[in-house]
Amino acid sequence: MSEKSTPNQVSANTLRRLPYYLSYLKSLKNTDVAYISAPVIASELDLNEVQVRKDIAAISSVAGKPKKGFEIDVLIRDIQAYIGCEDNNCGILVGVGHLGRALLAYKGFEAYGLKIIAAFDSDPSVVGTEIAGKPVYHIASLREFCQSTDAAIGIITVPAEAAQSTCDLLIKSNIKAIWNFAPVMLNVPEGIIVQNENIVSSLTIINKKLAEIAGSKQP
Amino acid sequence: MSEKSTPNQVSANTLRRLPYYLSYLKSLKNTDVAYISAPVIASELDLNEVQVRKDIAAISSVAGKPKKGFEIDVLIRDIQAYIGCEDNNCGILVGVGHLGRALLAYKGFEAYGLKIIAAFDSDPSVVGTEIAGKPVYHIASLREFCQSTDAAIGIITVPAEAAQSTCDLLIKSNIKAIWNFAPVMLNVPEGIIVQNENIVSSLTIINKKLAEIAGSKQP
DNA sequence: TAGATTGTTAATCGATTAACAATC
DNA sequence: TAGATTGTTAATCGATTAACAATC
């Protein structure tokens, strides 16, 4: 609510770049430079300098100074405010396998606006334990749990076969956004946010590029 | 080499969709349907039907039958051949933290052309152990290890601060593609493939969308 | 001043979607 | 035949990049 109502549509691509800007700018905090220019940011992050300026203009009202660039501190503050690093959304995670554990243990989310408050699984050997300080409950208690909290994000790290039923349960439990790490497309009612994270998709890109350079070498 | 030389540039977006097509088509294998149409695939995977046809045309020479669609078995075979599921690339992983362990334990990679053959870390408490059947060696032995194997892909799951030096070491060790899970941009010489996997970028998109719907409700 | 940089408008590029004839 | 579907060409859309005047 501290922001003035900004109906400006920032593209998902810009959004994806913001964390890179932020971490790069933070890495400059300890040095004695106070200003950074778009061309420098661009070369450092492998981007086009006009794109950097447009991204900055889209999410901040800071004006750059010709010949100097942008004040680093202000830039950091504006990006953080825009991303919403301050006001955390609460999330719950379903599926305490290897990946689920890794996400539960990851320290970086809180700095980017996500606080995972509990995990759920059906395996009795993990139910009742804690992982990285977060309690693991039985999946049967998920819906009730959500009634007493304001969890908005549901993280799905169950096997592909169980992803859709998990998704259905989360939506029934009033979850507004699904972060889906299972390699399937989920069926959701309108208004529910879904973000798919399919690392096998990325692997496909790597393998194809490798095949290309291998193919060009031995024709 | 079994493929005929195909210089057709398939977009990264198409490449990303292929695993979704594949897993959906595989899920139909047990049923008694032999053909599937583009409109059905599209609605199931939330895509445009023309896009589905174009994707299929780009990676397969199979012809669809009017009123019927595409033969599922042939489609599966062609996608798998295109992705290169058969001929595995070998990969090594550096950084045996939570995420590193999760990737080492993930069973799905081999079906998509990646075989992780070893992991590396500097922590003496994990060096010498095995994770999911894969040996963990000291990072000091990485370069030598690579000389005796044909590892092409290096997976970086170290903390952000160590990512660049890890990357440099991998490239010195003759790795051709870097799969980078650290939230920083890496500096690499020309010709090296880099695929960045920054899940915090995705989180940013989720949070922003949540903020939007929250903002539209209470103005 | 000269030159680096900003901010913005216009041009380019590529991906998605619409339109439509051809086929079974 | 009528209608569903394919395959392809054209139109649209959005993101990236180029061009350039303004500023310090």
Side-chain angles (χ1 to χ4, degrees):
Chain A
M1 286 316 102
S2 60
E3 301 254 281
K4 53 184 174 229
S5 141
T6 37
N8 54 349
Q9 266 303 38
V10 170
S11 79
N13 289 355
T14 295
L15 249 28
R16 278 196 176 279
R17 286 188 289 265
L18 294 182
Y20 286 104
Y21 292 134
L22 189 52
S23 82
Y24 172 61
L25 293 169
K26 278 179 177 169
S27 77
L28 299 174
K29 279 281 280 185
N30 303 327
T31 66
D32 56 351
V33 287
Y35 283 82
I36 186 88
S37 73
V40 171
I41 296 177
S43 96
E44 210 63 39
L45 300 184
D46 246 317
L47 301 169
N48 178 287
E49 70 174 83
V50 181
Q51 188 164 63
V52 172
R53 276 191 216 107
K54 289 213 164 168
D55 285 345
I56 291 173
I59 58 100
S60 163
S61 53
V62 70
K65 290 201 172 67
K67 293 201 73 171
K68 292 183 86 175
F70 302 85
E71 202 178 342
I72 294 173
D73 285 348
V74 178
L75 227 39
I76 290 176
R77 197 185 327 126
D78 283 0
I79 294 176
Q80 285 180 328
Y82 187 84
I83 288 181
C85 297
E86 282 94 40
D87 21 46
N88 272 341
N89 283 310
C90 288
I92 58 176
L93 180 146
V94 186
V96 185
H98 288 282
L99 180 58
R101 282 163 201 271
L103 297 180
L104 286 170
Y106 185 59
K107 303 275 195 311
F109 290 143
E110 301 223 0
Y112 286 87
L114 169 65
K115 184 182 168 126
I116 304 179
I117 56 177
F120 295 85
D121 204 298
S122 57
D123 180 353
S125 71
V126 293
V127 168
T129 66
E130 278 199 354
I131 292 167
K134 284 137 194 165
V136 180
Y137 301 119
H138 193 276
I139 186 113
S141 62
L142 191 153
R143 201 167 170 184
E144 194 186 7
F145 179 91
C146 287
Q147 283 167 352
S148 59
T149 60
D150 58 347
I153 299 177
I155 306 171
I156 297 181
T157 48
V158 301
E161 314 82 65
Q164 184 61 58
S165 62
T166 300
C167 175
D168 295 343
L169 173 62
L170 286 167
I171 291 169
K172 253 192 295 194
S173 306
N174 235 19
I175 290 292
K176 295 285 169 272
I178 304 277
W179 200 2
N180 176 36
F181 287 80
V184 292
M185 288 302 286
L186 298 171
N187 229 302
V188 299
E190 196 156 348
I192 299 294
I193 297 159
V194 178
Q195 178 71 35
N196 292 303
E197 214 68 43
N198 190 348
I199 62 171
V200 165
S201 281
S202 304
L203 178 56
T204 301
I205 296 175
I206 296 177
N207 279 333
K208 208 61 209 171
K209 286 185 183 166
L210 271 174
E212 257 166 48
I213 61 171
S216 68
K217 241 180 259 166
Q218 35 180 27
Chain B
M1 285 315 102
S2 60
E3 301 254 281
K4 55 185 172 226
S5 142
T6 37
N8 52 348
Q9 265 302 39
V10 170
S11 80
N13 289 355
T14 295
L15 247 28
R16 278 195 176 281
R17 286 188 288 265
L18 295 182
Y20 286 104
Y21 293 133
L22 190 52
S23 81
Y24 172 60
L25 293 170
K26 277 180 180 169
S27 77
L28 298 175
K29 279 280 281 185
N30 302 327
T31 67
D32 56 351
V33 287
Y35 284 81
I36 187 88
S37 74
V40 172
I41 296 177
S43 97
E44 210 64 38
L45 300 184
D46 246 317
L47 300 170
N48 178 288
E49 70 173 82
V50 182
Q51 189 164 64
V52 172
R53 273 189 220 109
K54 289 211 164 170
D55 284 346
I56 291 174
I59 58 101
S60 162
S61 54
V62 70
K65 289 204 172 64
K67 294 200 73 172
K68 292 183 88 175
F70 301 86
E71 202 179 341
I72 294 173
D73 285 348
V74 178
L75 227 40
I76 290 176
R77 196 182 333 124
D78 283 359
I79 294 175
Q80 285 181 328
Y82 187 84
I83 287 180
C85 296
E86 283 94 41
D87 21 46
N88 272 341
N89 283 310
C90 287
I92 57 175
L93 180 146
V94 186
V96 185
H98 288 281
L99 179 58
R101 282 162 202 272
L103 296 182
L104 286 171
Y106 185 59
K107 304 273 196 312
F109 290 144
E110 301 223 1
Y112 286 88
L114 170 65
K115 183 181 170 128
I116 304 179
I117 55 177
F120 295 85
D121 204 298
S122 57
D123 180 353
S125 72
V126 293
V127 169
T129 66
E130 278 201 352
I131 291 168
K134 284 136 194 166
V136 181
Y137 301 120
H138 194 277
I139 186 115
S141 62
L142 191 153
R143 201 167 169 186
E144 195 186 7
F145 178 91
C146 286
Q147 283 167 351
S148 60
T149 61
D150 58 345
I153 300 177
I155 306 171
I156 297 182
T157 48
V158 301
E161 315 82 66
Q164 184 62 59
S165 62
T166 300
C167 175
D168 295 342
L169 173 61
L170 286 167
I171 291 169
K172 251 192 297 192
S173 307
N174 235 19
I175 290 292
K176 294 284 170 274
I178 304 278
W179 200 0
N180 176 35
F181 288 81
V184 293
M185 287 303 285
L186 298 172
N187 229 300
V188 300
E190 195 157 349
I192 298 293
I193 297 159
V194 179
Q195 178 69 38
N196 292 302
E197 215 67 42
N198 191 347
I199 63 172
V200 164
S201 281
S202 303
L203 177 56
T204 302
I205 295 176
I206 296 177
N207 279 333
K208 209 63 210 170
K209 287 187 184 166
L210 272 174
E212 258 166 48
I213 62 171
S216 69
K217 241 179 258 166
Q218 36 179 26

